[in-house]
């Protein structure tokens, strides 16, 4: 069974390779556009190279600490196992981010060319397939990494090793989320500092349009789309899938009496099935010239979902069809749990669309409020953002309670918890497709920028503008989906933490072999305090991320002003601005600014765990997760809604571009930028990091 | 002992009466100023009358439900007891709000007159004493109500009744918080809808200054200060002190073996001592003409704190000096807990000042960000708001854990929990003084408005402007203090809830007489769901409150525009605008808008309790409280910081009034208005309401 999974993951990598070749094969391009694309490529690569250097250094330091902590608790062999797992997880996470970006900084030019030569259908397909490289690659790498680790830790050799291996693998998840945190923070700060800086100094101060080649910060802005949305989100979803796989395998250990090895391997099989379904869905999106390409993407996603459902049914029957070696109907309950997960994914997609698309009430109310100026625009956007957390919370409650109840009906011990795990797997089944749609966003955004900057045609810009607005929707959807799956996976990871602590206490003889660590009782003073600190951490972390953007943007503004002053020819269009200088300034700024929030996120749970111990840190994790889900939804959706309200006005409402309403809308959009692209997505990673860091350092807390 | 408490409370009422007479005795006033004051008075009274009618009707309906629920669980006698307690609590809460406003709408004119005739020292004293009427009255009423109820439920008659009475009194707290919620919501929506509406249509659209008599909404704005800040906050702090007293008495029941009746009465005695200390502190603020009157107020507060500390030491020694009838040193540990509470109050005062006053880094950074326009101003303000939750959270953790630890050292069973209760009492000891400073704010604000509108002198306006800026600081301090004490009291109220459930389970034979309900384990699916819903409730509630302001402000803007159009003489200054029409429109709007968030807050915990049961609703309460503390701090402090950043620019920074930086700052100030004066303060009440509603409806959840 495991070998089947490994084969699928290798096949996935091969398909990603084929898609990548296909996308970048055509080397012919308009020279003006190629020149712009080259500048973006160079900037992005320079940033990623320096960012990865920083991250690798940080990761090596943490690897030593992780290995040391585990060595202290369990001896030298454990130190090597966890240290290696951490390094492997961190390495794969770096690679996922890198590959995502490698393709997107090439697919952007291809999309622009396709838009110029063949029209919207072909351009849409190129952008999606470019995005798919990243999506397929991330899921395949995660499967391959986890599968290989399980195999090499002897998971297939004996029952004892199979039950031990998932616990030894938690450092893989921590490595992945550690890298993802810094990648998302650094990329998120970069992209929005460049964006806000370029907008303020260009559009507002100098009155030149967006993506105008006279703006020295414009290349930095386009680079930002790639490093933030592609590289950051790639690492983010890599760690999501990895952490969730390992957490589900840990829960699978508890079901050994019923399902044996199958219970542990089921998460990997389910992920492989979802990967195949996603690949098929991606290939079924045709190159058709339609009014709204979103409908094509939606149809592909529907196909992926349906195929996943079928695959889910088959795999539950095959792997969980026998209980204690006897054929049983229990698998049907678990199939139901998986369906809940798939429905939950759809619910999050639809809720996000409702709150961020301009045809529905929330964005309409924001547009309306722009009539009375920027203040009312901000107030209304804040109200929309704070409102929009309610439906996701109710959805999560229904999904968690529903899948727990269904799982319990199977009459298998721990069936309820395993049910919530299977719901999470169902939700994440279509992950590769969602990620492809996400990377679609920056690719089309870049394609538009390339066309604009190279000045090669108003008609092509119309095509890319259409694709760009689709990309905005898909980016918003991914964020909703990512936070929803983080919420669902959180419950899984709590349970894994509780199992890990039980495991540790039993191993050290402080708990009888049949007893459990049990409860996290927030009526206890210390535990309540842990919860309070967890919630406060989310706010403080968000604040640091948002402030970092502001500070970094100031340096961009300063640099651009200096260029305009020293070289008056730039504004006249006779002199070429020094794009590389701006890229360099943002790069340095973002890398410095990511350190503080990143280290806070890693250090806070460890400090709380050391001082207040295991139960308090569990409360920190759980209440921090609850707060994180809500604050992230608030930030993501308010940002998305402001963005689309501005777009709605630009499309002609309330006097269109240049009107007072538009000016008010631009303020909202600018405020929303660091919300939705820096702080919000970073909180996704923060939630998962809290889970993996507590899992890995649990030996120090008990 | 109880009689002493009752005597102090009656004396307190008498002193409040004397102060009120003193403030309103002088009837001579400049006729122009008197005319403006009269318009404010009429508007405020009209609003409060209609608001109270609505609230009384709602309260009667809820009283019937509360009585019914308790009758269902415990029979007819319990139904009558709880129903009566609810009505009494609700009545006192209405009265507290009413009296606070009655005085403030008279003290405003007196303050203006004092500023005109005697200068800043006298004006400051008049405003403080006017505010003190409300502060002393609220605390006295709360003492009198709780004390009388305890007496009439037979608390002094027998041990069994003394142990039962605090549980029967929880409906008093619920009645108080029910009224407070609607008072704060209605008043908060009113004040900010009028403010935002008046500003947008006056300052922004028509270019006339603040408080200009040509603006038809200006009286509504001045009325708003009274109904929001005085009436709303009066009811808010009444319910805080009442709920906290009852919660602490319930904990006192558990300490009966050690302290007997003294353990139950201690909270009341401590409150009486704090009341005396506050009254003395208020009387010691002299009518001295100084540069910064804040220093006088601070000195008075210091005196109150020191006197409270001395009183605390004496009362712990007297009441808790004997354990099991034998002299013991245990009281010293509890004295320590009380000191922690007093220090905690100071910490919140200082933290709030740091985040909202213009000489410190946070506001300075906001001022700086105004250089680059409204968007960066909002972003920086949001970052400051999200940052500012960290220190309060750490302070609360230290206070709760510290007082719990000290309490445990007393070696008395449940001593740790009782220690946290005494810390809460210490923090709330100076409540009357703080509330006096709070009501000082709207009184001075109104005095400034009266001087401006009556056009009676530029020099007087300087005096009132100075006082007004002091008032802004004291208002911010109260909010910090209120949320801090809510956080500390929350832990007390959780414990009371756990005791209540234990009590119910024992009474119905579902728990052995010596067993406890025990834990709230958030690893359980339902309990985690309860927590998630509690946190989401805070966000949704805030959203509804903020949106209500926006909607209600729109109606004001519409009405003013129509007046300007129909009567061109208004702008020319030849025609008097119809102030009453605007007052009427805001009144109707605010009363309609307060219903939905108010009912949501009451209904949500009941629904969750009925569906997910007692443990889940406890998690809802606790996680909701944690989230509430953080979101309220975020809203209060960001709003306060924006306000003071604007004031700093108006005082001459970055080009002063009319500069681009000032325009940017105005946007931030407007956004902050509904944050700090509607949503934030309403969340304080929401937290307490969650606690009291779960306490009262506990019989339905077990």
């Amino acid at each position: 069974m495991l070998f089947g999974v490994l084969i699928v993951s290798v096949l996935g990598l091969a398909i990603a390779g084929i898609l990548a070749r296909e996308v970048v094969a055509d080397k012919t391009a308009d020279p003006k556009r190629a020149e712009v694309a080259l500048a973006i490529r160079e900037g992005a690569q320079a940033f990623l190279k320096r960012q990865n250097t920083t991250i690798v250094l940080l990761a090596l330091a943490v690897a030593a600490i992780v290995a040391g902590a585990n060595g202290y608790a369990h001896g030298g062999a454990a130190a090597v196992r966890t240290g290696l797992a951490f390094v492997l997880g961190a390495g794969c996470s770096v690679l996922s981010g890198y590959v995502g970006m490698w393709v997107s900084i090439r697919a952007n030019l291809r999309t622009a060319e396709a838009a110029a030569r063949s029209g919207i259908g072909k351009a849409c397909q190129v952008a999606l397939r470019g995005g798919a490289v990243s999506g397929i690659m991330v899921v395949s790498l995660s499967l391959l990494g986890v599968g290989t680790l399980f195999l090499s830790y002897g998971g297939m050799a004996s029952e004892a090793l199979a039950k031990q291996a998932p616990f030894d693998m938690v450092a893989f998840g921590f490595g992945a989320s550690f890298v993802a945190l810094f990648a998302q923070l650094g990329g998120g700060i970069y992209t929005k500092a460049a964006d806000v800086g370029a907008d303020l100094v260009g559009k507002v101060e100098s009155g030149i349009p967006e993506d105008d080649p006279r703006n020295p910060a414009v290349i930095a802005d386009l680079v930002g789309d790639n490093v933030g949305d592609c590289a950051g989100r790639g690492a983010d979803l890599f760690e999501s899938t990895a952490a969730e796989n390992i957490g589900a395998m840990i829960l699978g250990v508890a079901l050994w009496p019923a399902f044996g090895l199958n219970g542990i391997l089921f998460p990997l099989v389910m992920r492989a099935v979802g990967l195949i379904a996603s690949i098929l869905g991606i290939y079924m999106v045709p190159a058709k010239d339609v009014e709204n390409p979103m409908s094509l993407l939606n149809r592909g996603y529907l196909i992926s979902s349906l195929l996943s459902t079928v695959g889910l049914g088959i795999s539950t029957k095959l792997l969980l069809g026998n209980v204690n070696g006897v054929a049983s109907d229990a698998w049907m309950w678990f199939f139901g749990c998986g369906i809940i997960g798939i429905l939950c994914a759809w619910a999050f997609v639809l809720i996000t669309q409702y709150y961020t698309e301009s045809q529905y009430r929330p964005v309409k109310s924001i547009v309306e409020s722009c009539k009375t100026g920027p203040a009312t625009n901000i107030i209304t956007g804040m109200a929309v953002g704070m409102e929009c957390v309610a439906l996701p919370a109710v959805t999560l409650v229904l999904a968690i309670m529903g899948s727990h109840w269904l799982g319990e009906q199977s009459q298998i011990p721990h069936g309820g918890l395993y049910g919530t795990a299977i719901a999470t797997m169902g939700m994440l089944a279509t992950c590769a497709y969602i990620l492809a749609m996400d990377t679609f966003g920056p690719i089309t955004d870049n394609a538009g920028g390339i066309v604009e900057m190279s000045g090669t045609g108003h008609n092509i810009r119309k095509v890319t503008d259409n694709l760009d607005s689709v990309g905005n929707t898909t980016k918003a959807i991914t964020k909703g989906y990512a936070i929803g799956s983080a919420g669902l996976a959180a419950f899984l990871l709590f349970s894994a933490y509780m199992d890990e602590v039980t495991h540790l206490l039993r191993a050290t003889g402080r708990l009888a072999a049949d007893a459990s660590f049990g409860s996290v009782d927030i009526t206890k003073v210390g535990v309540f305090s842990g919860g309070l600190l967890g919630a406060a951490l989310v706010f403080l972390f968000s604040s640091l991320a948002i402030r970092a953007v502001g500070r970094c943007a100031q340096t961009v503004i300063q640099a651009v002003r200096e260029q305009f002053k020293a070289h008056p020819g730039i504004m006249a269009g006779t002199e070429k601005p020094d794009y590389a200088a701006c890229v360099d300034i943002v790069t340095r700024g973002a890398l410095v600014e990511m350190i503080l929030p990143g280290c806070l996120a890693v250090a806070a749970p460890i400090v709380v765990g050391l001082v207040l111990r295991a139960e308090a840190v569990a409360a920190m994790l759980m209440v921090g997760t609850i707060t994180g889900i809500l604050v992230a939804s608030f930030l993501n959706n308010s940002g998305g809604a402001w963005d689309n309200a501005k777009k709605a006005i630009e499309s002609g409402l309330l006097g269109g571009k240049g009107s007072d309403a538009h000016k008010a809308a631009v303020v909202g959009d600018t405020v929303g930028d660091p919300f939705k692209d820096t702080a919000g997505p970073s909180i996704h990673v923060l939630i998962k990091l809290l889970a993996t860091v507590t899992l890995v350092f649990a030996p120090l807390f008990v």
Side-chain angles (χ1 to χ4, degrees), chain A residues 255-307:
Chain A
L255 278 84
W256 187 279
F259 297 127
L261 193 58
N262 280 358
I264 300 177
L265 290 183
F266 182 76
L268 299 181
V269 173
M270 186 56 221
R271 177 60 39 82
V273 168
L275 178 60
I276 298 171
S278 297
I279 294 174
L280 292 175
I282 290 164
Y283 269 104
M284 280 183 195
V285 174
K288 211 164 111 187
D289 289 342
V290 291
E291 182 70 27
N292 181 8
M294 191 67 218
S295 60
L296 299 177
L297 298 183
N298 274 339
R299 218 188 51 185
Y301 184 55
L302 184 63
I303 292 172
S304 291
S305 296
L306 292 176
L307 290 176

Side-chain angles (χ1 to χ4, degrees), chain A residues 563-647:
Chain A
Q563 284 204 27
F564 280 155
K565 212 171 160 189
H567 306 276
I570 296 178
M571 275 302 278
T574 57
E575 205 171 342
K576 209 179 144 187
D578 184 357
Y579 301 126
C582 281
V583 170
D584 192 55
I585 280 168
V586 198
T587 301
R588 266 185 287 137
L591 292 184
V592 170
E593 297 287 352
M594 80 181 180
I595 304 288
L596 180 61
C599 291
L600 173 77
V602 178
I606 298 178
V607 170
V608 169
L610 289 175
V611 177
L612 302 177
R613 321 306 296 165
E615 196 175 345
V617 89
M620 179 179 205
L621 165 60
M622 294 181 195
V623 179
T625 299
I626 289 176
T627 313
I629 294 171
L630 302 185
V631 173
S633 300
F634 160 62
L635 294 169
N636 290 339
N637 289 342
S638 60
W642 274 317
D643 191 350
N644 281 335
K646 185 196 73 168
K647 288 215 161 62

Side-chain angles (χ1 to χ4, degrees), chain A residues 278-520:
Chain A
S278 297
I279 294 174
L280 292 175
I282 290 164
Y283 269 104
M284 280 183 195
V285 174
K288 211 164 111 187
D289 289 342
V290 291
E291 182 70 27
N292 181 8
M294 191 67 218
S295 60
L296 299 177
L297 298 183
N298 274 339
R299 218 188 51 185
Y301 184 55
L302 184 63
I303 292 172
S304 291
S305 296
L306 292 176
L307 290 176
S308 295
T309 310
V310 173
L312 177 74
I314 297 171
S315 7
T316 39
K317 173 86 178 94
L318 279 182
L319 272 85
L320 310 178
N322 288 337
V323 176
N324 306 319
V326 182
S328 146
D329 283 344
W331 68 274
M332 286 199 275
W333 297 110
F334 292 118
F335 182 34
C337 298
I339 292 178
I340 286 184
I342 293 172
L343 291 177
C344 188
W346 271 94
F348 269 89
V349 167
L350 295 177
I351 292 170
T352 310
Q353 294 196 14
Y354 174 71
Y355 276 106
T356 56
E357 286 191 0
S358 53
Q359 68 262 46
Y360 304 110
R361 193 254 313 156
V363 175
K364 274 189 182 165
S365 71
I366 296 179
V367 169
E368 186 65 24
S369 71
C370 287
K371 279 185 193 168
T372 36
T376 42
N377 177 25
I378 301 291
I379 292 176
T380 313
M382 294 286 301
V384 165
M386 295 192 117
E387 178 197 314
C388 79
V389 308
L391 281 180
V394 172
T395 307
L396 279 177
V397 165
L398 290 177
I400 292 175
M401 294 199 69
S403 57
H404 194 267
W405 184 84
L406 281 180
E408 274 181 338
Q409 305 313 305
S410 72
Q411 307 290 343
I412 292 169
H414 308 286
L417 274 185
Y418 202 62
T420 62
I422 293 184
T424 315
M425 293 169 213
M427 178 149 190
L428 280 168
T430 49
C431 174
Y433 192 95
I434 291 276
L435 190 51
M437 286 211 291
D438 184 52
T439 311
F440 175 94
I443 292 175
T444 54
D445 195 343
N446 259 240
I450 291 172
V451 172
E452 175 79 24
M453 277 203 62
S454 59
T456 50
H458 186 66
N459 284 333
I460 316 176
R461 178 79 208 195
K462 262 194 194 157
V463 172
T464 55
D465 270 356
N466 190 344
L467 284 180
D468 188 16
S469 91
V470 171
N472 272 322
T473 305
T474 61
K475 277 193 284 184
I477 287 174
T478 318
K479 283 176 215 149
Y481 173 86
I483 197 68
S485 63
L488 210 48
F491 202 78
L492 173 77
L493 291 167
F494 300 158
S495 314
Y497 175 78
M498 300 306 285
D499 279 0
E500 166 82 17
V501 174
T502 303
H503 187 76
L504 284 166
L505 289 174
R506 282 185 195 159
T508 51
R510 276 174 289 173
L511 207 63
D514 54 349
S516 285
F517 174 55
S519 67
V520 175

